[in-house]
């Protein structure tokens, strides 16, 4: 057995810490969370909230992608790579809230419940609260995990069906927050299982206080937290959908941090002596996803035609005037190992018209194009992007009808396959190619055939998961990218830098490479 003995850095003594901050910390978020059950959702806006409340067995090191202990203090991996044994941290308490008072500390029972909920549809709790757990589903957890076993009160073993080189990173993802089995039992007894998504209970540094829909999420410091006491007593997520209003609130000190801003806003922010802007080159991508159930889009020639009709150079000049983004060629950025440097984008309207004619559409057709309703670093203006693409497609005879919806409705409708083409994107937690490819392009997430599902591509992803040899994994991913570029299930758009603005009096904030927000040990001086 290979023993992993990485330990968290020793906590600072109370004497070494600043005096308790009386000031609340307000974060101006771009959109509301979809809920508060981390397993139920897969959006960054939701995880930004739930990461403050919940913790996994392991975590990504702040500011990086290395795996460090969290609720497990150490772990062992068997020689065959199929068995993971976790030794749990003792003395961890679940949060005591207005709606739940725990009677015991975190233990193996909670891990067993949490993991069984991911992999056993017949679990009593799952039968009472019947809903798809998007987080675990997107990573194929039920297909990967054979069982979870309690060895003793503070030891659990997870058994895989087959070797998976990326498995440990899954347990650091946002969806993998450990739930209280005792709380779940209480909800089940009271016929309130669905409340696990409305009234969360975790082990993290902050606990849930209240939510005013589409207005604000209020959290408070967890007084029983096993880590350092938090200097910020009140953490508020203010939901501010308008990017200009977020900036104004930041300048007025109505919020102390804000969601990522557009390049066009940097000059104004950097001119304000009370504001500082942190940035990082993020592991992200924006793209346009086809609904492959649509007759026109089932044709590869049509998909290629729509792709090569887009003038990316013109689009980038409008959306990224300061050059803080690069054109996406493959489904993950060049900073991620295994990137295919041989593939290329193309701009060729004449060839696009030829491909449409070959596919049986010499006069073009009409199509619905969904514009992203929220601002993202890789897509700072979904409406403008849609309008520019609309003009490009018109030149090859394709009429694009631009549509959009409120963010939650947008995600829901796209998940149900109501779109023709919609704007989307993803950001990796781990920096592993699998994190980009499996969760969006494997057959396991192709709901009713609307998403891409290619058996040759899928086999390459599976083979890459089953070896720890990076050279071999790279070879598989290079071939997978060739298939992606041939089949063109997405129109790849941008990889971008992320710019996070904050007040200069904010202390302790660390930029994560995926642009997520962690507020542990962050406070206002």
């Amino acid at each position: 057995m290979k023993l992993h003995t990485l330990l968290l850095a020793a906590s600072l003594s109370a004497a070494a810490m600043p005096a308790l901050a009386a000031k609340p910390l307000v974060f101006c978020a771009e959109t509301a969370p979809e809920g508060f059950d981390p397993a139920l959702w897969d959006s960054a806006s939701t995880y930004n909230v739930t990461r403050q409340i919940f913790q996994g067995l392991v975590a990504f090191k702040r500011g990086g992608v290395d795996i460090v202990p969290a609720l497990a203090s150490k772990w062992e991996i068997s020689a065959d790579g199929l068995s993971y044994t976790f030794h749990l941290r003792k003395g961890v308490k679940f949060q005591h809230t207005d709606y739940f008072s725990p009677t015991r500390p975190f233990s193996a029972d909670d891990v067993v419940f949490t993991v069984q909920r991911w992999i056993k549809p017949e679990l009593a709790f799952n039968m009472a609260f019947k809903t798809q757990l998007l987080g675990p589903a997107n990573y194929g957890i039920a297909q990967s995990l054979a069982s979870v076993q309690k060895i003793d009160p503070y030891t659990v073993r997870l058994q895989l069906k087959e070797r998976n080189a990326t498995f440990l990173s899954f347990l650091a993802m946002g969806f993998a927050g450990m739930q209280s089995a005792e709380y779940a039992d209480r909800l089940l007894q009271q016929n309130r299982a669905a409340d696990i998504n409305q009234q969360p209970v975790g082990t993290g540094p902050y606990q849930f206080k209240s939510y005013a829909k589409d207005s604000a999420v209020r959290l408070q410091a967890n007084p029983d937290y096993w880590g350092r006491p938090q200097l910020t007593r009140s953490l508020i997520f203010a939901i501010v959908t308008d990017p200009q209003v977020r900036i104004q609130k930041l300048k007025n000190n109505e919020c102390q941090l804000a969601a990522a801003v557009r390049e066009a806003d940097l000059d104004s922010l950097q001119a304000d002596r009370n504001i500082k802007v942190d940035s990082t080159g993020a592991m992200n991508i924006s793209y346009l996803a086809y609904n492959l159930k649509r007759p026109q889009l089932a044709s590869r020639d049509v998909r290629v035609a729509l792709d090569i009709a887009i003038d990316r150079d013109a689009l980038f000049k409008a959306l990224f005037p300061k050059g803080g983004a690069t054109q996406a060629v493959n489904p993950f950025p060049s900073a991620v190992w295994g990137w295919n440097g041989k593939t290329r984008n193309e701009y060729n309207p004449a060839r696009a018209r030829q491909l449409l004619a070959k596919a049986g559409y010499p006069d073009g057709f009409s199509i619905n194009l969904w514009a992203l309703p929220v601002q993202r670093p890789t897509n700072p203006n979904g409406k403008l992007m849609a309008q520019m693409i609309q003009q490009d497609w018109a030149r090859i005879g394709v009429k694009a009808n631009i549509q959009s919806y409120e963010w939650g409705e947008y995600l829901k409708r796209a998940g149900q396959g109501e779109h023709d083409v919609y704007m989307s994107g993803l950001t990796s937690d781990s920096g592993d190619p699998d994190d980009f490819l499996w969760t969006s392009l494997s057959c396991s997430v192709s709901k009713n055939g609307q998403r891409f599902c290619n058996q040759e591509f899928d086999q390459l992803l599976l083979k890459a998961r089953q070896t720890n040899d990076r050279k071999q994994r790279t070879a598989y991913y290079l071939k997978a990218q060739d298939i992606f570029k041939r089949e063109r299930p997405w129109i790849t758009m941008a990889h971008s830098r992320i710019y996070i603005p904050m007040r200069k009096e904010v202390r302790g904030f660390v930029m994560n490479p995926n642009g997520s927000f962690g507020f542990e040990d962050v406070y206002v001086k």
Side-chain angles (χ1 to χ4, degrees):
M1 305 279 278
K2 183 178 180 182
L3 180 64
H4 293 251
T5 56
L6 289 169
L7 299 175
L8 287 177
S11 296
L12 294 175
S13 67
M17 300 182 70
L20 208 61
K23 299 176 182 177
L25 178 62
V26 182
F27 170 64
C28 277
E30 75 273 39
T31 189
E34 297 158 279
F36 301 97
D37 175 2
L40 193 56
W41 309 105
D42 64 350
S43 72
S45 55
T46 295
Y47 286 159
N48 280 336
V49 176
T50 60
R51 284 178 193 271
Q52 321 309 320
I53 302 170
F54 292 92
Q55 295 173 303
L57 295 175
V58 296
F60 294 110
K61 185 177 181 180
R62 290 183 73 186
V65 296
D66 291 340
I67 302 293
V68 298
L71 295 182
S73 58
K74 60 183 180 180
W75 57 89
E76 301 149 8
I77 305 174
S78 62
D80 62 6
L82 296 178
S83 179
Y84 288 68
T85 302
F86 293 92
H87 302 273
L88 307 183
R89 193 177 299 277
K90 296 180 180 179
V92 175
K93 296 180 180 179
F94 278 101
Q95 295 151 0
H96 187 291
T97 68
D98 294 339
Y99 45 86
F100 177 65
S101 299
T103 64
R104 61 166 181 78
F106 167 74
S107 72
D109 292 331
D110 304 301
V111 180
V112 170
F113 165 73
T114 302
V115 175
Q116 284 189 338
R117 188 172 171 231
W118 300 342
I119 65 176
K120 293 183 67 175
E122 71 277 14
L123 192 71
F125 194 90
N126 287 340
M127 297 300 291
F129 183 32
K130 293 184 178 180
T131 183
Q132 184 183 24
L133 302 179
L134 287 176
N138 284 351
Y139 288 93
I141 299 298
Q143 291 75 34
S144 301
L145 261 174
S147 64
V148 55
Q149 178 186 6
K150 173 182 175 181
I151 306 301
D152 63 43
Y154 290 97
T155 310
V156 291
R157 181 168 297 141
L158 275 61
Q159 191 73 26
L160 301 189
K161 297 176 182 177
E162 55 192 10
R163 181 190 288 268
N164 189 328
T166 63
F167 179 71
L168 198 60
S169 69
F170 295 169
L171 300 179
M173 302 288 185
F175 75 81
M178 292 292 114
Q179 297 273 9
S180 164
E182 182 185 18
Y183 180 48
D185 286 343
R186 184 84 52 83
L187 293 176
L188 201 56
Q189 292 167 9
Q190 298 173 354
N191 296 317
R192 296 192 301 117
D195 282 355
I196 200 169
N197 185 46
Q198 305 300 328
Q199 298 180 323
V201 173
T203 62
Y206 289 94
Q207 62 189 50
F208 182 80
K209 186 176 181 181
S210 65
Y211 174 45
K213 184 172 173 55
D214 296 327
S215 176
V217 179
R218 295 180 181 274
L219 308 179
Q220 62 188 23
N222 175 7
D224 297 321
Y225 184 46
W226 60 271
R228 288 191 290 238
Q230 293 304 293
L231 302 179
T232 296
R233 307 307 297 166
S234 177
L235 174 60
I236 301 167
F237 285 71
I239 314 304
V240 185
T241 57
D242 188 309
Q244 290 305 313
V245 175
R246 287 199 298 275
I247 289 172
Q248 197 57 48
K249 284 182 175 290
L250 187 69
K251 290 185 173 184
N252 294 341
N253 202 21
E254 295 175 55
C255 58
Q256 288 72 54
L257 290 100
V261 294
R262 300 172 295 192
E263 283 189 353
D265 298 319
L266 288 177
D267 289 343
S268 170
L269 287 164
Q270 291 169 341
D272 191 320
R273 61 184 180 85
N274 296 310
I275 304 294
K276 59 183 178 181
V277 180
D278 280 359
S279 69
T280 184
M283 299 177 292
N284 58 21
I285 185 171
S286 60
Y287 58 87
L288 276 65
Y290 295 118
N291 183 342
L292 300 182
K293 290 187 72 175
R294 298 291 189 257
Q296 300 100 320
L297 302 177
S299 166
R300 182 173 66 193
D301 287 333
V302 169
R303 298 195 299 269
V304 173
L306 294 176
D307 186 326
I308 67 176
I310 295 174
D311 186 348
R312 287 175 170 83
D313 288 345
L315 192 147
F316 269 62
K317 287 178 183 178
L319 290 176
F320 305 102
K322 293 183 178 293
T326 58
Q327 294 184 21
V329 179
N330 296 312
F332 55 85
S334 59
V336 174
W337 60 269
W339 186 77
N340 191 334
K342 295 181 180 180
T343 54
R344 295 286 186 274
N345 284 332
E346 179 184 358
Y347 174 53
N348 193 333
R351 180 169 172 255
R353 286 190 291 270
Q354 292 171 1
L355 287 171
L356 288 182
K358 177 185 173 186
Y361 302 100
D363 300 320
F365 52 84
S366 294
I367 195 170
N368 293 325
L369 171 61
W370 288 16
L372 194 72
V374 294
Q375 175 190 317
R376 288 286 186 261
T378 54
N379 187 349
N381 191 329
K383 183 177 180 181
L384 177 59
M385 180 184 283
Q387 290 170 340
M388 295 185 73
I389 292 173
Q390 182 185 50
Q391 293 172 3
D392 288 340
W393 284 354
R395 295 187 184 100
I396 64 169
V398 174
K399 180 183 178 182
N401 305 304
I402 298 174
Q403 298 177 336
S404 195
Y405 302 92
E406 177 273 329
W407 181 231
E409 190 71 10
Y410 184 93
L411 293 173
K412 178 182 176 182
R413 288 174 177 264
Q416 293 171 345
E418 296 181 21
H419 63 288
D420 292 338
V421 182
Y422 83 108
M423 295 179 187
S424 189
L426 64 90
T427 302
S428 169
D429 283 314
S430 67
D432 191 290
D434 180 89
D435 201 12
F436 287 92
L437 303 178
W438 187 276
T439 57
S440 296
L441 292 163
S442 69
C443 291
S444 65
V445 294
S446 180
K447 185 178 180 181
N448 300 323
Q450 70 193 44
R451 291 192 185 187
F452 181 62
C453 177
N454 178 284
Q455 293 302 324
E456 183 185 4
F457 183 91
D458 241 42
Q459 285 303 308
L460 290 167
L461 299 193
L462 283 169
K463 289 177 179 178
R465 279 186 162 191
Q466 291 167 9
T467 177
N468 289 316
D469 184 333
R470 179 171 289 193
K471 183 177 180 181
Q472 185 60 64
R473 292 187 73 201
T474 295
Y476 292 136
Y477 290 136
L478 290 174
K479 291 180 181 178
Q481 288 166 88
D482 284 336
I483 295 171
F484 171 89
K485 205 65 179 179
R486 182 188 75 210
E487 297 298 326
R488 218 70 59 100
W490 294 350
I491 299 175
T492 53
M493 295 307 300
H495 310 296
S496 74
R497 291 196 67 80
I498 291 180
Y499 301 95
I500 304 296
M502 68 194 77
R503 303 285 300 182
K504 285 191 174 178
E505 55 268 31
V506 171
R507 298 290 185 271
F509 180 75
V510 178
M511 283 282 291
N512 289 318
N514 66 354
S516 64
F517 290 84
F519 291 109
E520 184 172 3
D521 299 333
V522 179
Y523 64 99
V524 179
K525 185 177 179 181

